[in-house]
Amino acid sequence: MAGPLTGVRIIEVGEVISAPLGVMMLAEQGADVIKVEPPRHGEESRQLSNHRAGMAGLYANCNHGKRSIGIDLKSNEGLELLYELVRGADVFVQNWRPGAAERLRVGEAELRRVNERIIYASVTGYGDSGPYVGRRGYDPIFQALTGWVAAQLNPELPIPDLVRNAVVDKATAYTLAQAITAALFARERGAPGQHVRVSMLDAGLVF
């Protein structure tokens, strides 16, 4: 049976968990997802230690149901190929630090010139401004910053502790999937393509 998002095409350049898991949920609902990765070695989570048949367990767990293509976005040829994919897409998703997409010429302004109706989704660690904007974001750091570590404090063993799971990454992924679906629904009702912005810090705090 066809899923509710059948006919929706998503181009994703996400890495590790926050964006890939969110997009994977949309693939499970019927969206056609094309994952664009660096050529030869692929995205970062393919390379983890439990590597088998070209991918690690984490990669498989966050990317099943997608098609994948290796494209060198730093070459003019690769950039033109990505633009061609975007022309026929509904959604573009990235989870790089602010400014990285613009340096690669795949920021919102560039892609909207290619496809004005595109829904452009960005996942950042700390948002688009502020003193931490340029820092890398990792789940344990966000657990500490948003109170998860303090909430895990056991009175019998008073040592602050992490949740032993990527809880903020996953909360961000669920937030991203819902926000993209809402933007698609709004566009169906006549709204223009929106820029969906999700911060891991915000998602972790809300969750």
Side-chain angles (χ1 to χ4, degrees), residues 107-192:
E108 182 192 7
E110 290 91 349
L111 296 195
R112 208 163 291 291
R113 283 194 288 269
V114 174
N115 179 351
E116 66 178 5
R117 298 184 72 247
I118 197 81
I119 292 164
Y120 191 100
S122 304
V123 177
T124 61
Y126 305 93
D128 294 311
S129 62
Y132 289 2
V133 67
R135 295 188 180 187
R136 290 181 176 270
Y138 297 100
D139 193 273
I141 294 172
F142 293 117
Q143 286 195 38
L145 288 172
T146 58
W148 284 86
V149 174
Q152 290 293 109
L153 188 65
N154 182 343
E156 297 176 5
L157 185 67
I159 300 172
D161 200 5
L162 294 167
V163 177
R164 288 174 172 79
N165 202 296
V167 63
V168 177
D169 267 302
K170 293 178 180 181
T172 304
Y174 301 150
T175 304
L176 174 68
Q178 190 280 327
I180 289 173
T181 305
L184 285 166
F185 181 67
R187 198 181 67 176
E188 285 295 306
R189 303 182 77 178

Side-chain angles (χ1 to χ4, degrees), residues 7-191:
V8 171
R9 175 165 289 179
I10 301 173
I11 309 301
E12 180 213 324
V13 295
E15 302 210 7
V16 193
I17 299 176
S18 60
L21 178 61
V23 174
M24 188 201 73
M25 288 189 281
L26 303 180
E28 289 182 333
Q29 294 171 25
D32 174 24
V33 178
I34 301 174
K35 184 177 179 77
V36 175
E37 304 184 53
R40 292 177 294 281
H41 55 78
E43 69 114 311
E44 184 179 350
S45 68
R46 278 187 186 266
Q47 313 307 313
L48 298 177
S49 58
N50 59 341
H51 190 276
R52 180 179 296 176
M55 64 185 74
L58 176 64
Y59 179 90
N61 197 47
C62 293
N63 291 285
H64 59 260
K66 305 176 185 179
R67 295 184 286 165
S68 183
I69 183 172
I71 299 178
D72 181 3
L73 296 180
K74 295 180 180 178
S75 72
N76 290 331
E77 295 83 359
L79 200 57
E80 286 303 322
L81 180 54
L82 181 75
Y83 290 163
E84 187 59 34
L85 291 173
V86 167
R87 285 187 186 97
D90 298 285
V91 183
F92 178 86
V93 182
Q94 55 94 352
N95 64 342
W96 299 321
R97 280 179 287 178
E102 286 73 20
R103 288 193 296 274
L104 287 170
R105 293 183 286 167
V106 295
E108 182 192 7
E110 290 91 349
L111 296 195
R112 208 163 291 291
R113 283 194 288 269
V114 174
N115 179 351
E116 66 178 5
R117 298 184 72 247
I118 197 81
I119 292 164
Y120 191 100
S122 304
V123 177
T124 61
Y126 305 93
D128 294 311
S129 62
Y132 289 2
V133 67
R135 295 188 180 187
R136 290 181 176 270
Y138 297 100
D139 193 273
I141 294 172
F142 293 117
Q143 286 195 38
L145 288 172
T146 58
W148 284 86
V149 174
Q152 290 293 109
L153 188 65
N154 182 343
E156 297 176 5
L157 185 67
I159 300 172
D161 200 5
L162 294 167
V163 177
R164 288 174 172 79
N165 202 296
V167 63
V168 177
D169 267 302
K170 293 178 180 181
T172 304
Y174 301 150
T175 304
L176 174 68
Q178 190 280 327
I180 289 173
T181 305
L184 285 166
F185 181 67
R187 198 181 67 176
E188 285 295 306
R189 303 182 77 178

